[in-house]
Amino acid sequence: MTKEEEAFFEEFYRAYVQTLVGFAYRFLKNWDDAKEITQEAFLTALVKIDQFYASENHLGWIKAVIRKKAQNFNKVKRGRAAVTTFLDDPSLSLSAPDHYGGIDAPSAHCAELLTDQEFLLIRRIFMEGEPYREVAADLDLTEGACRKRVERILKKLREQWDGEGQKIK
């Protein structure tokens, strides 16, 4: 990063950070999440400083990053809530703490649907909140392959679950 880019970035950050937190809040409805997403967007801008600095509309560039990060955050949050609801259905409870690492096993219905590997992947992503890239690295997969596996698992659950009219989004 050149000194010129560094000075520009610092000035831009000071001038717009609060405005951008407010922009993120519109999508997230939570101030802490909005601050976190805004910081992540600034980190993205820093990592991609060449693109950011060359952009004709710096504010538009970073708002697009915030919008996408907020959408992804909300998607994961909805997925986590839906999967947790599905796995925590008390009417189908099945306890097997040793087998599932100290937490309740998925419901009996879920246990029929998911393999151990599928359940552990869903647990790490949605219940423990681990980033896809870390889970993918542990499983020796690309991040894209990891995301695709999660999509397939959610599709499988979505097709089977009819609990109280709710569906996994």
Side-chain angles (χ1 to χ4, degrees):
M1 175 180 345
T2 67
K3 294 233 183 250
E4 185 179 316
E5 290 170 336
E6 186 177 345
F8 166 78
F9 186 83
E10 287 177 17
E11 183 179 327
F12 184 86
Y13 180 86
R14 276 184 254 134
Y16 291 104
V17 68
Q18 291 304 320
T19 301
L20 292 170
V21 169
F23 178 74
Y25 179 81
R26 289 178 26 205
F27 297 100
L28 301 166
K29 306 297 186 229
N30 178 296
W31 287 110
D32 290 333
D33 293 341
K35 290 174 187 173
E36 182 178 336
I37 292 298
T38 302
Q39 290 302 314
E40 287 181 21
F42 273 106
L43 182 59
T44 299
L46 191 59
V47 168
K48 297 181 178 187
I49 192 69
D50 294 339
Q51 291 177 2
F52 180 62
Y53 187 69
S55 172
E56 292 181 19
N57 182 355
H58 303 104
L59 193 57
W61 190 96
I62 203 159
K63 279 185 172 182
V65 172
I66 288 171
R67 186 178 304 112
K68 186 66 175 171
K69 286 186 177 292
Q71 288 169 342
N72 288 340
F73 182 86
N74 282 332
K75 184 177 180 181
V76 168
K77 196 173 181 179
R78 280 193 312 270
R80 182 179 299 133
V83 169
T84 301
T85 299
F86 181 79
L87 297 178
D88 288 343
D89 183 344
S91 67
L92 300 172
S93 182
L94 173 70
S95 181
D98 292 339
H99 191 65
Y100 289 99
I103 66 165
D104 283 346
S107 66
H109 183 61
C110 183
E112 294 171 9
L113 296 175
L114 300 182
T115 66
D116 289 347
Q117 288 180 328
E118 289 171 333
F119 173 73
L120 293 174
L121 178 60
I122 290 295
R123 184 182 89 181
R124 288 181 69 182
I125 297 291
F126 292 110
M127 299 169 82
E128 296 173 7
E130 288 186 51
Y132 280 94
R133 69 181 170 279
E134 289 179 17
V135 175
D138 288 348
L139 298 176
D140 200 25
L141 299 170
T142 64
E143 186 175 337
C146 185
R147 287 180 184 277
K148 192 66 175 175
R149 284 187 184 182
V150 169
E151 287 174 22
R152 284 195 301 262
I153 294 167
L154 292 177
K155 181 180 179 188
K156 184 192 296 189
L157 292 173
R158 202 178 293 120
E159 289 171 352
Q160 295 295 320
W161 191 40
D162 59 0
E164 298 182 20
Q166 295 179 332
K167 295 283 183 183
I168 297 174
K169 302 267 187 253

